[in-house]
Amino acid sequence: MLHRGHESTDGDGDSGELAVPMAWFYAEYIADELLRTGDLMPPASVEFRAGRDALALTVFLSDSGGELSGIRVISQLETWLSLTAYDQPWQDWVRERMADLEADAHASGVRSPDLALARAAWRWLEETELLAPDLDAVPGGAGTAGEDEGPKVWTPAWQLGLPLGHLAIHLF
């Protein structure tokens, strides 16, 4: 039996209410849809997860006013493209935005389940390393015959996920 009237999307959990991380879930949904539409990686792969988490962080952290709605997604695509571009300091931007949100949460005394999930995603992206082709080791920048051939290097998951997310936005 479902218990109605006890859920909350904005409670802090101290009053016995269940705080639902709707902002993070929505950001993750948008990222998932963008990546699935692009059909760049199998959804069960760790590369897909890296792309989804990097893109979800971008979506979540760029929504400064909590205004993300279905209609605003299209208007935000250019912002997300610029944030995820190759020449942008995305990692520094994420750290700064996370620090700002954590300071705001600490000052208000409200525990945010959205922020907790964003923090977990960021930790996974920073701490997890994936084996990827070493593009710097390819002589003359030319690719090898097969994807599995050639030198490989361990790379932080965010460094693979970010370009994947960027490309998925382009393909949308």
Side-chain angles (χ1 to χ4, degrees), residues 7 34-35 44 46 89 94 102 104 132 140 149 156 165 171:
E7 297 86 11
L34 287 170
L35 286 166
V46 291
V94 169
E102 288 171 352
D104 290 347
E149 298 174 15
L171 294 174

Side-chain angles (χ1 to χ4, degrees), residues 56-72:
L57 270 172
T58 304
V59 170
F60 177 73
L61 295 175
S62 67
D63 183 32
S64 60
E67 304 165 345
L68 201 55
S69 66
I71 194 82
R72 252 177 69 75

Side-chain angles (χ1 to χ4, degrees), residues 26-38 43 48 52 55-56:
Y26 193 54
E28 201 171 47
Y29 169 76
I30 291 168
D32 195 74
E33 286 300 310
L34 287 170
L35 286 166
R36 286 178 190 270
T37 300
F48 186 91
R52 186 192 63 220
L55 200 46

